Amino acid sequence: KRFRGGHNPVEPNNIFASGDTVFVPANAIVNSKLILHTVKPQEYNIQINTTGVVKPLSGHLAEVTTPFEGRIVKSFIKLGQKVTTGTPLFEVSSSDYLESVRMCLQARRERELAEKNYIRKKDLLESGISSRKEFDEAKLALDLADKVCEKTTAILKIFNINPEEADLTQPLIVRSPISGEIVRTDITVGQYIKSDSDPIVTIADLRKIWVVARVKEKDLGTISLQDQVEIFMEGFPDKAIKGVVNYIGNIMNEQTRSVEVFIECENPENFLKSGMFVTVRFYHELTDAIIIPASSVLQDFNKSYLFVKAGHGIYVKRVVSVISLPDKKLMVHSGLETGTIIVSEGGIYLR
């Protein structure tokens, strides 16, 4: 191919180009090698396969240790046991815990006394017996007692301890914060545990679970929330577990050029194990997909392009973004509109 200006315009192979535009005379031999295709929207159910890892749902995994330093005196659980929220896990003898309970009980008692004094001063003020100053002092004392009581009560509630059940004669009972199954326990009766120690009990509710798939940047346009997904495991290759796209991440991994997609799956039989690697198959129904023959697209370094008919014997190079489909077809993400006439075969002769 070369630009021949106005010389010999009727020669059979007199094809010339100007920029991205190629001019083909009517009598050029190459016309017999060009097959044209009009782009039309169509329905298509696209499938994308990738890998993923199984993770517990948010709020469905709890790692438990003691909130106060102390010695474990009793265990109530065993590995694999089903528990509910509030189920006793283990018992700890802790002087720090008893001191917190004592402070809470003392604060509640002082508040009760401050409230009684406030009521008495209020009655005396209304009867003209007590002064306004004494009433204000009683009210201030009640406000301060309220704050101390709230603070000491909050300390116990933070550690999932019911202040109403706190008792100086009873050791600390650590309870399960969620319902689920005991999947790990390192409890040793007699062991001394610090408040900053590693968790000694792990509870997980795996009846529902996340599968976190990594989806390539080029495939993101074909995945939407609530899309249906199938999960396949290496140990059960013929068993497909259904899932639904719940969240599409907004942070791109710069190394892999992929985004995390969170899929929520029912897991009543516990086939999916936390940490397991799986194969993920996405299904996405498109109602206006642009599907073209793979032979339409040519490569130029890292760009894909094709030729669009712009007029009689005039073809324009157009850069497009595509993904591969079965049966030697491509889906166009961008760069092409419906109704456009493209060169579906023979574009190589226009290069």
Side-chain angles (χ1 to χ4, degrees):
K1 294 177 298 182
R2 56 194 176 92
F3 181 69
R4 304 191 184 188
H7 299 292
N8 302 321
V10 296
E11 289 184 11
N13 292 315
N14 190 16
I15 300 174
F16 62 94
S18 175
D20 288 337
T21 304
V22 179
F23 299 89
V24 182
N27 61 344
I29 296 175
V30 74
N31 280 315
S32 63
K33 301 182 181 297
L34 302 181
I35 297 179
L36 303 183
H37 172 80
T38 301
V39 176
K40 296 179 180 179
Q42 57 183 284
E43 294 184 357
Y44 189 82
N45 193 341
I46 188 170
Q47 298 181 19
I48 298 173
N49 291 331
T50 186
T51 58
V53 62
V54 179
K55 294 183 179 181
L57 278 175
S58 302
H60 285 233
L61 178 74
E63 295 181 319
V64 183
T65 187
T66 175
F68 297 96
E69 291 189 7
R71 194 172 302 279
I72 297 177
V73 295
K74 190 173 184 179
S75 174
F76 299 101
I77 58 171
K78 61 181 180 180
L79 198 62
Q81 179 180 333
K82 304 291 185 182
V83 297
T84 58
T85 303
T87 297
L89 302 177
F90 55 91
E91 197 174 274
V92 179
S93 176
S94 169
S95 57
D96 290 344
Y97 164 69
L98 294 179
E99 176 62 18
S100 295
V101 172
R102 186 194 67 76
M103 292 176 60
C104 181
L105 295 177
Q106 180 179 333
R108 290 168 65 181
R109 176 60 180 163
E110 290 177 355
R111 188 204 173 283
E112 290 175 2
L113 294 176
E115 185 177 26
K116 289 180 180 179
N117 185 52
Y118 167 76
I119 293 173
R120 185 170 66 86
K121 293 296 184 182
K122 182 180 180 181
D123 291 341
L124 292 175
L125 178 64
E126 292 174 351
S127 301
I129 300 174
S130 178
S131 66
R132 182 74 187 184
K133 179 181 178 182
E134 291 177 320
F135 170 76
D136 290 342
E137 289 175 348
K139 185 176 185 304
L140 177 60
L142 177 59
D143 290 341
L144 292 175
D146 270 335
K147 287 181 171 55
V148 173
C149 190
E150 289 174 3
K151 180 179 178 180
T152 56
T153 298
I155 291 174
L156 296 182
K157 286 183 176 180
I158 287 174
F159 299 116
N160 201 27
I161 299 167
N162 186 351
E164 302 298 328
E165 298 178 356
D167 189 341
L168 285 172
T169 64
Q170 298 295 326
L172 167 64
I173 296 178
V174 178
R175 301 177 182 275
S176 175
I178 64 171
S179 296
E181 178 182 331
I182 305 297
V183 297
R184 188 178 71 85
T185 173
D186 292 329
I187 297 175
T188 301
V189 175
Q191 179 183 6
Y192 191 86
I193 301 292
K194 294 185 178 181
S195 58
D196 60 351
S197 65
D198 293 334
I200 58 175
V201 178
T202 302
I203 304 113
D205 181 3
L206 303 179
R207 292 171 297 178
K208 282 187 177 181
I209 203 155
W210 287 128
V211 171
V212 183
R214 288 199 172 275
V215 177
K216 293 292 185 181
E217 182 178 6
K218 65 182 181 65
D219 294 326
L220 286 175
T222 55
I223 294 176
S224 300
L225 294 176
Q226 302 305 311
D227 277 355
Q228 297 300 309
V229 180
E230 287 186 336
I231 310 299
F232 297 91
M233 302 158 287
E234 186 175 355
F236 304 91
D238 296 327
K239 183 174 182 60
I241 295 179
K242 305 292 184 181
V244 176
V245 175
N246 190 273
Y247 174 72
I248 300 173
N250 290 315
I251 299 177
M252 177 72 66
N253 185 302
E254 294 183 3
Q255 280 72 42
T256 63
R257 305 306 302 170
S258 63
V259 165
E260 289 188 335
V261 175
F262 288 74
I263 302 151
E264 185 175 316
C265 300
E266 298 288 342
N267 190 36
E269 300 178 85
N270 285 334
F271 280 112
L272 295 174
K273 313 294 184 184
S274 182
M276 177 184 286
F277 289 100
V278 294
T279 299
V280 182
R281 181 175 297 163
F282 291 90
Y283 294 91
H284 184 71
E285 293 185 2
L286 299 173
T287 56
D288 56 354
I290 295 179
I291 311 295
I292 61 175
S295 57
S296 308
V297 176
L298 305 171
Q299 291 295 129
D300 185 5
F301 297 104
N302 61 342
K303 292 183 178 180
S304 300
Y305 69 94
L306 47 69
F307 286 97
V308 173
K309 184 177 181 180
H312 185 69
I314 303 173
Y315 300 91
V316 178
K317 183 178 179 180
R318 180 83 61 85
V319 175
V320 292
S321 174
V322 297
I323 62 171
S324 298
L325 301 177
D327 302 324
K328 297 182 179 180
K329 293 183 182 297
L330 299 173
M331 177 180 294
V332 181
H333 275 318
S334 62
L336 199 59
E337 305 80 27
T338 58
T340 305
I341 300 175
I342 65 171
V343 178
S344 62
E345 286 189 33
I348 191 171
Y349 298 104
L350 302 178
R351 297 179 70 171

